Amino acid sequence: MKNIYNDSKMIDPTTFLKFLKGRRSIRSFQDKPITEKELEMIIEAGRWTPSASHRQPWEFIIIKNKETLEKISKNAFYGKFIKEVSVAIAIVGKMKTSSKWYIVDTSLVSMNMMLMAWSLEIGTCWIGAMNREKVKKILGLGENDYLLTVLPFGYIKGDVPDPKPRKPLNKIVKNM
Ligand SMILES: Cc1cc2nc3c(=O)[nH]c(=O)nc-3n(C[C@H](O)[C@H](O)[C@H](O)COP(=O)(O)O)c2cc1C
């Protein structure tokens, strides 16, 4: 199997599953900015996300302005912690570019970015509970822009939370 990007070596599956299981949503951050290189890696992971018909219906807004982060925090019911970080990325779906799949495609972007962050030992958390209209305004987004989430990125403060139990296999898997 030839793959110019990883010298044919795929990631070890056992390690990968452990990595997936170990990822947690992080809601408390150190007062120390992540590096530009780390930010670049996170953006790159987003850029390489698969999308329906390869339309890439997205835009990433890098938010470093403290005032903007504070304004978003005020409008995030369960995401106040965004004001603790020095950088966040708003993931925006371009509705006209892929009217059917923009939410799915941008959700995958979000997962790619969250996993890359975790591999860098950087914490993040999907913020969904926000006043979307107000945050859209803060970010200057238009009517054809769908604000999926704003992901905060920062080094983890304190302990990584314990995993929340997942539904057992026999409740979610059906055999036919
Ligand atoms: C679509 C979506 C919306 C979410 N919205 C929020 C949110 O507004 N605030 C928050 O703190 N966590 C939010 N989360 C994080 C979930 O609470 C978290 O993923 C879940 O509890 C499982 O925990 P884990 O990510 O640590 O495995 C959201 C996650 C998803 C996928």
Side-chain angles (χ1 to χ4, degrees):
M1 208 185 315
K2 200 167 178 303
N3 183 334
I4 56 163
Y5 286 105
N6 60 14
D7 292 332
S8 308
K9 279 188 214 111
M10 295 293 179
I11 190 166
D12 169 64
T14 308
T15 308
F16 186 53
L17 187 58
K18 198 171 160 198
F19 170 77
L20 291 179
K21 288 184 177 182
R23 182 211 54 81
R24 292 279 73 75
S25 292
I26 299 298
R27 300 177 178 89
S28 188
F29 304 93
Q30 293 176 34
D31 186 18
K32 178 184 166 199
I34 66 166
T35 67
E36 282 303 307
K37 180 72 200 156
E38 288 166 332
L39 178 60
E40 211 178 278
M41 297 275 282
I42 291 166
I43 295 166
E44 202 56 359
R47 190 167 75 93
W48 278 87
T49 303
S51 61
S53 305
H54 199 39
R55 289 211 170 103
Q56 306 165 77
W58 49 59
E59 222 166 54
F60 313 145
I61 304 179
I62 316 300
I63 312 160
K64 290 183 178 171
N65 183 290
K66 262 288 170 205
E67 255 176 56
T68 308
L69 290 167
E70 267 165 34
K71 276 191 205 159
I72 295 172
S73 167
K74 281 193 187 127
N75 288 286
F77 320 119
Y78 192 30
K80 303 274 174 227
F81 46 83
I82 194 170
K83 66 171 181 236
E84 289 177 23
V85 297
S86 57
V87 65
I89 303 180
I91 300 173
V92 179
K94 306 303 278 182
M95 294 158 85
K96 281 200 172 157
T97 308
S98 184
S99 59
K100 205 165 149 196
W101 298 107
Y102 63 92
I103 295 183
V104 174
D105 291 345
T106 47
S107 296
L108 295 176
V109 164
S110 178
M111 195 72 238
N112 261 19
M113 287 187 176
M114 291 196 293
L115 291 176
M116 174 53 78
W118 195 251
S119 79
L120 295 162
E121 296 181 45
I122 287 170
T124 186
C125 179
W126 184 311
I127 297 178
M130 60 182 160
N131 184 327
R132 216 166 240 91
E133 282 314 306
K134 284 212 173 132
V135 179
K136 268 182 74 171
K137 227 178 202 171
I138 293 164
L139 297 174
L141 297 176
E143 60 177 302
N144 293 308
D145 295 328
Y146 178 76
L147 177 61
L148 181 85
T149 181
V150 188
L151 297 176
F153 293 101
Y155 298 121
I156 303 163
K157 187 171 168 188
D159 293 335
V160 170
D162 287 335
K164 290 182 187 165
R166 264 40 183 184
K167 290 182 181 175
L169 275 179
N170 62 7
K171 290 267 188 281
I172 57 168
V173 176
K174 282 188 179 152
N175 289 297
M176 294 184 88

